[in-house]
Amino acid sequence: MSWTDERVELLKKMWGEGQSASQIAKELGGVTRNAVIGKVHRLGLSNRATGGAKADAKPKADAKPKAAAKPKAPPKVKAAPKAEPKPEPKTEPAVAPRTATSLRKQIIPAGQPLPPQPSANEISPEALAKVNEVEKTAKKLSLMELTERTCKWPVGDPATDEFWFCGLPVQAGKPYCEAHVGVAFQPMSARRDRKR
């Protein structure tokens, strides 16, 4: 359906007569009520106050003209209290830039438990030995030094200066190096068996 000049003129005429969008859509055919409303808005046709009555309908002869509404008195405004003089803003001494070390000391643990980490009895002895060897050669990166190609395995307590991430090359499609993938992604059955 396209809005031809004839269809647009019929729309304008029916809209001016006070027809509803549904009535206009039905008369035009092949168009929805919402399409009619959209076209009315795009054409900038005025809203009608008559609401479905014919635009050229005349008021009844015996109807009394409405009395003009009295203008409302403006609302009373309370006087604002007198403002007290504001104290001069205090100037703070220049603060030394914060280093990563000074920021770490300011970390206050939130009291929330750390995410569950596999305990030593849940990790196979081979994987544990491999992790211990790998951590000796780890790059020991900070959070800001991590990339998509570096192992993101955390080591240590985040609230201390001894906290770091492994940083070795990751295994394809994983966030960790080969040794840490062996610890992080273990089948549940193997972990359950080692707990016993």
Side-chain angles (χ1 to χ4, degrees):
M1 196 295 299
S2 62
W3 288 102
T4 62
D5 291 339
E6 296 84 33
R7 292 172 68 89
V8 171
E9 288 306 314
L10 182 57
L11 166 73
K12 287 180 182 179
K13 177 181 174 275
M14 292 178 76
W15 186 259
E17 291 173 352
Q19 300 279 340
S20 71
S22 297
Q23 292 169 324
I24 296 170
K26 189 175 182 181
E27 178 70 28
L28 290 173
V31 65
T32 65
R33 171 187 170 274
N34 286 341
V36 170
I37 292 170
K39 190 64 174 176
V40 165
H41 285 290
R42 287 190 299 276
L43 291 172
L45 299 177
S46 65
N47 289 336
R48 304 169 304 212
T50 57
K54 301 275 184 196
D56 57 339
K58 296 181 182 175
K60 294 179 183 176
D62 60 339
K64 295 180 183 176
K66 291 184 181 178
K70 293 182 182 178
K72 291 184 179 179
K76 294 182 181 180
V77 180
K78 292 181 181 179
K82 292 183 180 179
E84 295 180 20
K86 293 182 181 178
E88 291 293 319
K90 295 179 181 177
T91 55
E92 307 247 346
V95 179
R98 295 181 176 180
T99 62
T101 306
S102 70
L103 288 175
R104 276 195 196 120
K105 290 178 184 172
Q106 294 175 351
I107 294 174
I108 299 171
Q112 297 294 322
L114 292 172
Q117 299 279 328
S119 62
N121 64 345
E122 293 179 307
I123 303 171
S124 70
E126 303 84 31
L128 195 55
K130 194 172 185 180
V131 165
N132 288 336
E133 281 301 310
V134 163
E135 287 182 358
K136 291 177 186 174
T137 61
K139 293 185 178 181
K140 300 184 179 182
L141 300 178
S142 71
L143 178 65
M144 299 305 289
E145 295 170 309
L146 292 176
T147 68
E148 66 274 355
R149 290 187 225 106
T150 57
C151 178
K152 294 154 189 72
W153 187 266
V155 178
D157 182 356
T160 66
D161 289 334
E162 290 80 36
F163 179 72
W164 47 273
F165 294 91
C166 174
L168 293 174
V170 295
Q171 190 175 10
K174 303 284 186 192
Y176 307 123
C177 64
E178 183 181 346
H180 288 121
V181 164
V183 175
F185 300 101
Q186 294 186 13
M188 282 302 289
S189 59
R191 290 173 60 189
R192 254 187 251 114
D193 293 343
R194 278 193 289 279
K195 281 184 182 179
R196 294 181 184 156

